[in-house]
Amino acid sequence: PSNTADYDKLLTNEGVLKMLAWLFAPVSFEIGQHPQLLYSDPREATSYLDRISRKITPSDNLDLSDRESLLRWAFAETDSFLRNTENAQKIDILSQGLASGASTVGDLVGIIEDW
């Protein structure tokens, strides 16, 4: 196809924000459990922005100019999701799926996105 951007929904402002939230999810969870990060790495989100910034073109219409705000928003969203008691059942299902090793990434995305 001539315009592959139509097919790549992650190459949008919304897609970048979703990816940042996914990258911050383990950081937010671990901060809620431990006073110090042991396994997750918040630099993954920054590294993602670095990589995508080198690949985008003006025709992609992505605004990554305020990186600090994007990173803060993504962390706040994942932290809010984890602290919201209405999400307790989803978090329990995610935890069980991850602990058992039986869930695929698609399964986990489907749970979070309500598919």
Side-chain angles (χ1 to χ4, degrees), residues 22 81 89-98 100-115:
W22 275 96
F81 177 85
Q89 183 180 10
K90 284 183 185 180
I91 293 168
D92 186 49
I93 293 168
L94 289 170
S95 297
Q96 290 175 15
L98 289 169
S100 71
S103 293
T104 66
V105 171
D107 294 334
L108 300 175
V109 170
I111 291 165
I112 291 175
E113 298 289 340
D114 289 324
W115 294 342

Side-chain angles (χ1 to χ4, degrees), residues 10-52:
L10 291 177
L11 197 56
T12 63
N13 287 324
E14 181 181 314
V16 169
L17 289 172
K18 282 187 176 190
M19 283 299 300
L20 290 174
W22 275 96
L23 292 169
F24 270 124
V27 176
S28 296
F29 183 78
E30 191 172 359
I31 285 174
Q33 302 295 313
H34 309 290
Q36 180 178 348
L37 292 175
L38 302 173
Y39 301 104
S40 59
D41 189 350
R43 295 175 295 179
E44 292 291 333
T46 305
S47 177
Y48 168 72
L49 282 180
D50 290 343
R51 288 190 308 273
I52 198 166

